[in-house]
Amino acid sequence: RGRLNVLANVVGKPYSKIFTEFEGNPDPGAAGGSGDVKYHLGQKGHYHQMFGDGEIDITLAANPSHLEAVNPVMEGIARAKDDLLGGHHTVMPLLLHGDAAFTGLGVVQETINMNKLNAYSVGGTVHIVVNNQIGFTTTPDAGRSTYYATDLAKGFDCPVFHVNGDDPEAVVWVAQLAVDYRNRFGKDVFIDLVTYRRRGHNEADDPSMTQPLMYKIITDLPTSRDQYTEALIGRGDLSEEDAEKVKRDFHDQLEAVFNEVREAEKGAKPKEQSGITSSQELPHGLDTSVNRELVEKIGDLFFDVPDYFTPHPRVAPVIKRRHEMSRKGHIDWGFAELLAFGSLVEGGKLVRLAGEDSLRGTFTQRHAVLFDHEDHDIYNPLQVLAEEAGKGGRFDAYNTSLTEFAGIGFEYGYSVGNQDALVAWEAQFGDFANGGQTIIDEYISSGEAKWGQISSLVLLLPHGYEGQGPDHSSARIERFLMMSAEGTWTIAQPSTPANYFHLLRRHALGSLKRPLIVFTPKSMLRNKAAVSSVEDFTEVKKFQSVIDDPNQSGKNEDIKYVLMCSGKIYWDLEKKRQADKRDDVAIVRVEMLHPIPHNRIKDALDNYPNAEVRWVQDEPANQGPWPFLALQLPEVIPGLKLKRVSRRAQSSTATGVAKVHQLEQKQLLEEAFEK
C-alpha cells in the first residue's frame, strides 16, 4: 500500500524491518509504551539521487489515522530544521493528501493559511493530492461542493497542476515543475494526481459493494505498472525479457528477506513492554536560580528603550515598574516569565513563543515585545539580551493566526525538530485549546508511547474561575490528567511567579524531554499578594512541586484541618483564613499535578497528624484535579482520606452570571473552613 511504498522506496526503510513489523515483532531497540500500527510509523532515511551526485536526507513524520492532522506537525518540523540550518528554506516540506480528506478537513485550510505568515513560513510546501475519487465509500458528489478536489488552493493564489496518474513520465515532469516553482517563488504549490484506488480502504474491504460501476471499470483496467511497461516495450526502451527479469528479481529479493525474518523469529524472545521508563526520571538537583545582576539587567533592558523609541502611554508605567521590581522585588507573573525566558536566551537557548496575542499577552500582562506608539516600530529587549550575550540564543515571539488545531500542531512539530529549544504555545483562554484536541490526544500525550517521538512542547493555558463563564474559565485540567500515564508529560499549576520561573527553567535546562502543560492565571496576574521577591529567583534553587503552609514550621498537632489545593484558589483561601483568624487551619499547595509528587505531599501532611484533609478546588466536582487525585492519591499514600470541597458537578465548566459565581464562591469558601 501507499505508506509502505513510501517507507521502502523513498525513505529507504529496510524490507526486513517492514516484514518484522508485519509479523508483530516490536523493534528490540524501540522505547516501551503502546507502540502503533505499521502504517503510522515515521522514519528517517536517505534518498540516493538517480541523476546527479549526493543524497537527500528524508524524514517521514509519524502520523495517526486522524487524516491531515500531521500537516501542521510536519510544517513545524520543517521550520525547526530550516532554522537550525540558518533559515534559508533549504528544507522542503512535502505533504501527501487524499482528495476526500483534503477537501473535508479544516486543518488543511488552517495549515495552508500559514504558508506566508512570518511565524510559520517554510518557503513553500509541495502538496500532492492523491485523487482516487473516493473517500472510504463516499464519492466526490457527496464529499465536496467544488469541481476539483484542489479548489481550496485557489483561495490562496497558489498554482495547481492536474496530471494523469497513469502517465509516470508526465507525473515526474509536473513534480519537477512544482519543485522549481516552490524554490523560485517560496509559495505553496499543488499537484492534483488524478488516479484511482484499485483495492478497498483496507485489504479486506470490497469497494464494489458501494461503487459497482466504478470497480467494474477498475477491475478491467491494466495497472499503471503494466501500462507503463507496455509503453516502454512498444517504443523499444525495454524488452519483454528485461521487464520480466526485473519483476522476478524484485520478487526474489522480497522472498529472501521474508524467509530470513521467519528464520530469525524462531529463536527470538518477545520483548517485554515496560513503559517509558526514561520519562519517569525527574531532574533532581538542578539549580534553576539566577544571579541578581541578570535580574537587574533584564529590568534595565525593558526600561532603557532606544532614544528613537516612544512606548505607548499605558505601557510606559509597566516597564518602569519592571525596573523597580528588578531592584525591590514584588515581581509579578509577567515579569517573572520574562526573567525565565531572558535568562535562557542569555545562556544560549532558543526560546520560541507563539499564540494569538502572545506579544502583549491576552490580559496585557506580558509586553514581551514593545511597539512604538508613533510609528509601529518594535523593540525586543530579550533579543537584544541574546545578541549582547553572544552565545547563540534567540527570542522568537509571534502573534499568530487565529488557530488552535494547526497552531498547536506546528509548535509540537517544531519542538520535535529542535529538541533543545524552549517552544511554548499560549492559548487566549485555556478553554480554547480544545480546538486542537486532536493534536493533544494524538501527539502531545502519546507521541512518545506510540512512536518514541520526543517533544518538550510547553502549553500555556490560562485557567481560573472569576465569573467569566464557560469558555473563559477552564483549561479542562481533568482532560489532561485523564491522559496522564507512563510519564506522558508534566502538568503544573504554580501559585507564585517565582515558582513558575523555576518550572520553566527546570523544563528547559533539564535532561528530561517531555511536554509541559502549565495552567496559568488570569486574576492572579495582578493579585498584589501573588508576587515574589528578588531572592525567590536568586536564592531559591528549584521548582517546588508542593508548598507547605508558610505559616507553619514542622509538626503541629493543633492543626485540625488541612486544605489541599492548586492554583488561584490558594489566595482566596489564605485571604479568608486571615480574615477569620483561623489558626487551626493549614493550607498545602500542590503545584505539580502530574507526575503526582506523592512523597512531598505525604511529608507535608505528616506535619499535621490530627487534621482532617480536604481537597478544595474552584472547578465543579466532576472537573479539575479532583476526579484524578481522588483515585490516585489513596493508592500512593495508603490510609489517606480526602474530603472534597468544590462546586457541584456540572456539564458546563462555569456559570456566566456574575452574582451566581459570587454566591458559589462564598459557599465554597465557607464549606472549606467549616468546623
Side-chain angles (χ1 to χ4, degrees):
R1 307 306 295 269
R3 178 83 173 182
L4 297 177
N5 177 45
V6 172
L7 281 165
N9 296 319
V10 179
V11 188
K13 184 171 183 175
Y15 299 127
S16 59
K17 195 171 182 180
I18 294 175
F19 285 140
T20 297
E21 291 166 357
F22 264 93
E23 293 301 303
N25 299 318
D27 180 358
S34 66
D36 202 355
V37 298
K38 48 197 164 290
Y39 301 110
H40 295 172
L41 304 178
Q43 184 79 14
K44 291 184 179 180
H46 308 283
Y47 183 79
H48 296 274
Q49 297 185 61
M50 296 176 65
F51 307 103
D53 297 326
E55 60 184 18
I56 302 171
D57 293 332
I58 295 180
T59 299
L60 180 69
N63 70 302
S65 285
H66 283 247
L67 302 176
E68 310 295 341
V70 73
N71 293 4
V73 174
M74 191 279 300
E75 300 282 5
I77 293 173
R79 172 65 177 259
K81 289 177 179 291
D82 194 57
D83 283 353
L84 286 169
L85 292 172
H88 303 300
H89 301 322
T90 55
V91 177
M92 190 191 81
L94 174 65
L95 280 173
L96 197 64
H97 310 272
D99 56 321
F102 183 83
T103 55
L105 294 169
V107 71
V108 176
Q109 182 274 335
E110 290 187 34
T111 305
I112 298 173
N113 182 57
M114 294 174 164
N115 82 89
K116 298 294 284 185
L117 303 181
N118 189 37
Y120 305 120
S121 175
V122 290
T125 297
V126 175
H127 301 258
I128 301 175
V129 179
V130 181
N131 188 353
N132 59 31
Q133 305 168 73
I134 184 172
F136 199 74
T137 63
T138 302
T139 46
D141 60 325
R144 65 174 183 262
S145 297
T146 59
Y147 185 77
Y148 289 110
T150 51
D151 278 347
L152 175 64
K154 296 177 181 177
F156 295 91
D157 198 27
C158 296
V160 179
F161 301 109
H162 306 273
V163 62
N164 179 7
D166 268 342
D167 187 344
E169 293 181 3
V171 171
V172 171
W173 187 87
V174 163
Q176 183 65 61
L177 179 61
V179 172
D180 290 345
Y181 179 92
R182 179 264 178 190
N183 291 342
R184 179 169 178 180
F185 297 107
K187 286 181 62 176
D188 284 22
V189 58
F190 295 78
I191 298 172
D192 179 14
L193 187 65
V194 183
T195 179
Y196 60 92
R197 188 176 70 200
R198 182 163 289 274
R199 297 182 177 85
H201 181 74
N202 57 52
E203 289 81 350
D205 184 43
D206 180 2
S208 67
M209 291 187 290
T210 48
Q211 277 78 33
L213 297 181
M214 176 188 288
Y215 276 89
K216 180 174 175 33
I217 295 171
I218 291 173
T219 301
D220 296 335
L221 192 69
T223 66
S224 299
R225 185 184 187 281
D226 289 343
Q227 289 186 53
Y228 188 48
T229 300
E230 186 177 335
L232 290 173
I233 293 171
R235 67 192 193 199
D237 292 340
L238 193 70
S239 69
E240 292 187 19
E241 293 76 15
D242 289 338
E244 185 59 34
K245 183 175 183 296
V246 168
K247 182 178 179 180
R248 187 172 59 252
D249 286 349
F250 184 60
H251 179 274
D252 291 345
Q253 287 181 48
L254 294 181
E255 188 70 25
V257 173
F258 183 68
N259 290 333
E260 289 173 10
V261 169
R262 278 289 177 87
E263 285 299 314
E265 274 179 33
K266 294 178 181 177
K269 295 181 179 179
K271 182 194 173 193
E272 184 179 336
Q273 298 290 83
S274 56
I276 312 169
T277 54
S278 63
S279 291
Q280 310 293 352
E281 302 168 7
L282 293 174
H284 297 298
L286 179 66
D287 185 348
T288 53
S289 63
V290 295
N291 59 53
R292 180 179 285 268
E293 290 74 20
L294 182 57
V295 174
E296 293 180 357
K297 184 173 184 179
I298 294 173
D300 291 342
L301 282 169
F302 275 91
F303 183 64
D304 298 332
V305 298
D307 294 337
Y308 62 82
F309 192 89
T310 306
H312 190 281
R314 292 183 61 183
V315 177
V318 174
I319 58 179
K320 181 181 179 181
R321 284 197 301 272
R322 286 179 179 171
H323 185 263
E324 294 170 353
M325 289 175 192
S326 68
R327 269 71 176 173
K328 300 177 182 178
H330 300 288
I331 293 173
D332 64 13
W333 194 275
F335 189 45
E337 180 184 66
L338 294 173
L339 288 174
F341 293 156
S343 63
L344 291 170
V345 300
E346 191 271 344
K349 285 278 184 183
L350 165 62
V351 174
R352 177 183 166 93
L353 173 67
E356 289 141 27
D357 294 307
S358 288
L359 298 188
R360 186 195 74 174
T362 295
F363 311 101
T364 65
Q365 85 283 4
R366 179 173 292 123
H367 298 293
V369 175
L370 308 179
F371 292 84
D372 193 300
H373 185 51
E374 295 181 354
D375 62 7
H376 199 65
D377 196 7
I378 64 170
Y379 171 56
N380 186 338
L382 297 188
Q383 181 57 23
V384 173
L385 176 67
E387 291 169 1
E388 289 181 355
K391 299 176 184 176
R394 202 167 77 235
F395 182 64
D396 293 343
Y398 301 99
N399 285 340
T400 64
S401 59
L402 188 61
T403 167
E404 283 82 41
F405 194 159
I408 298 175
F410 189 98
E411 302 309 326
Y412 171 83
Y414 197 102
S415 72
V416 171
N418 185 348
Q419 295 180 9
D420 191 50
L422 177 68
V423 183
W425 180 85
E426 181 179 53
Q428 283 188 321
F429 288 86
D431 312 59
F432 300 169
N434 62 8
Q437 196 67 45
T438 298
I439 299 294
I440 295 168
D441 291 354
E442 296 293 333
Y443 290 92
I444 302 174
S445 71
S446 57
E448 185 179 358
K450 293 190 292 191
W451 314 309
Q453 185 160 277
I454 305 300
S455 164
S456 55
L457 176 65
V458 180
L459 294 186
L460 303 177
L461 309 178
H463 175 95
Y465 281 63
E466 286 96 11
Q468 296 185 27
D471 303 322
H472 302 88
S473 298
S474 176
R476 293 289 194 177
I477 292 175
E478 65 281 355
R479 288 183 181 170
F480 289 92
L481 289 174
M482 179 181 68
M483 292 183 282
S484 297
E486 298 183 294
T488 302
W489 45 27
T490 298
I491 297 179
Q493 187 174 206
S495 61
T496 70
N499 213 28
Y500 176 50
F501 163 90
H502 288 290
L503 174 67
L504 289 174
R505 282 182 53 79
R506 182 184 82 159
H507 181 73
L509 298 175
S511 58
L512 177 64
K513 300 295 182 184
R514 68 175 170 207
L516 170 64
I517 316 300
V518 188
F519 299 104
T520 58
K522 304 200 309 275
S523 64
M524 201 163 73
L525 296 170
R526 292 176 174 81
N527 186 333
K528 295 186 183 303
V531 294
S532 301
S533 67
V534 174
E535 290 72 24
D536 290 333
F537 299 83
T538 61
E539 296 179 11
V540 174
K541 303 298 183 183
K542 62 181 181 179
F543 169 71
Q544 300 175 75
S545 58
V546 175
I547 301 179
D548 199 355
D549 196 318
N551 299 314
Q552 306 295 331
S553 179
K555 189 162 289 192
N556 188 336
E557 297 182 354
D558 295 329
I559 294 295
K560 295 181 180 178
Y561 307 98
V562 172
L563 307 182
M564 280 208 304
C565 64
S566 182
K568 161 195 163 287
I569 189 69
Y570 166 75
W571 299 103
D572 298 332
L573 294 171
E574 177 60 21
K575 184 178 180 180
K576 182 169 177 60
R577 178 171 67 170
Q578 292 181 14
D580 294 353
K581 299 179 180 179
R582 290 289 297 273
D583 57 5
D584 61 338
V585 175
I587 306 176
V588 175
R589 283 170 273 176
V590 180
E591 304 276 288
M592 185 171 76
L593 297 168
H594 181 79
I596 299 175
H598 53 88
N599 288 329
R600 290 187 173 87
I601 293 174
K602 185 177 184 304
D603 290 343
L605 296 182
D606 284 347
N607 289 327
Y608 316 107
N610 299 323
E612 176 186 293
V613 182
R614 299 171 179 174
W615 176 264
V616 186
Q617 65 177 37
D618 274 317
E619 300 86 3
N622 58 324
Q623 300 170 32
W626 170 253
F628 179 78
L629 294 180
L631 288 174
Q632 299 289 331
L633 276 180
E635 291 188 5
V636 294
I637 306 178
L640 176 63
K641 294 182 179 179
L642 280 176
K643 178 184 176 183
R644 171 185 55 82
V645 178
S646 73
R647 287 170 166 77
R648 63 181 175 82
Q650 297 174 204
S651 57
S652 176
T653 52
T655 179
V657 182
K659 288 185 178 180
V660 174
H661 167 78
Q662 293 164 7
L663 179 62
E664 288 177 345
Q665 197 73 1
K666 184 174 183 291
Q667 292 174 340
L668 178 68
L669 295 175
E670 287 176 353
E671 185 181 349
F673 285 92
E674 189 176 66
K675 293 185 179 180

